[in-house]
Amino acid sequence: VEYFKAYLYRMRSVEYLLFWLDVEGYKLLQLPENRRTEADLIYAKFVEKSGWSRIKISKSERAAIERGLRSEWPDPDLFNAAQEEVVKIMKKVSFVDFIKGKEFQRLVTRKEDEIKRALTLDEVLKDAIGIECFLDYVTRIEH
C-alpha cells in the first residue's frame, strides 16, 4: 500500500486517492452542518478549477457537484459519481502503470506468492486504508 501511495506521489496523481479518502469520510458524516463544511472543503481542494489538488473529472460531473453545493445541506451522495470516475481513472492508468514500475517489483519481492495470486487495486486500497467498504463500493460500480 505504501508503495502504491509513494508511486502516486511520484507521478503527481495522489490527489485521486486523497479525493477518494476524503469522500469516504464525507459520506460518514451524520450532521448536515458537518457535511456542508466538508463538502465545501472537498470542492475547494479537488473540484474547483483553482483547487490546489484538482482532479480531472468530466465537466458534467463538475457541474453536478456545483449544483449540489447550492443546496443548504448537501446530499451525502454528492460526490459519488465523481468518486466512480476517479476509481476508473486509477484502475485504468495509475494502477496499471504502478504494476509495471519499481514500487510494485519491490512489493512483489516482499510478498512473492501472496501478491502474484490476487493483487488488485481493491486489495491495495483495502490494505492501505483499512476500509472494508471500498471492496463493496468497487463491486457496486462495476456491476
Side-chain angles (χ1 to χ4, degrees):
V1 173
E2 290 305 314
Y3 293 105
F4 184 55
K5 191 173 182 181
Y7 172 79
L8 290 174
Y9 271 110
R10 195 178 82 244
M11 299 310 293
R12 298 180 184 209
S13 60
V14 74
E15 64 274 6
Y16 294 104
L17 178 59
L18 297 176
F19 172 78
W20 187 88
L21 290 168
D22 282 1
V23 170
E24 285 301 299
Y26 168 80
K27 289 191 257 186
L28 297 174
L29 296 173
Q30 297 298 312
L31 296 174
E33 304 83 20
N34 292 349
R35 266 199 315 273
R36 164 90 268 159
T37 301
E38 189 64 17
D40 289 339
L41 290 172
I42 291 171
Y43 176 78
K45 186 175 178 182
F46 298 107
V47 180
E48 191 172 45
K49 289 181 181 179
S50 62
W52 62 272
S53 280
R54 185 173 178 220
I55 57 169
K56 294 177 184 174
I57 57 174
S58 66
K59 289 180 183 180
S60 62
E61 190 48 48
R62 191 174 311 279
I65 291 170
E66 290 168 351
R67 279 191 306 276
L69 285 172
R70 291 186 196 123
S71 157
E72 183 179 2
W73 307 119
D75 190 275
D77 299 331
L78 175 65
F79 298 101
N80 282 5
Q83 194 177 37
E84 289 175 19
E85 283 187 36
V86 163
V87 168
K88 287 176 185 175
I89 290 168
M90 286 196 297
K91 279 186 168 186
K92 277 186 173 177
V93 180
S94 302
F95 196 70
V96 171
D97 291 344
F98 167 69
I99 288 174
K100 296 175 186 175
K102 294 176 186 176
E103 288 86 358
F104 180 75
Q105 295 309 315
R106 283 188 228 136
L107 185 59
V108 169
T109 300
R110 284 185 70 211
K111 295 196 174 189
E112 300 266 353
D113 294 331
E114 174 189 339
I115 301 299
K116 289 177 184 175
R117 280 194 297 271
L119 182 67
T120 65
L121 174 62
D122 307 337
E123 289 299 318
V124 168
L125 290 174
K126 177 184 174 191
D127 186 40
I129 58 178
I131 297 178
E132 188 69 34
C133 68
F134 184 78
L135 293 175
D136 295 332
Y137 174 79
V138 169
T139 303
R140 282 194 318 268
I141 66 166
E142 287 179 343
H143 296 296

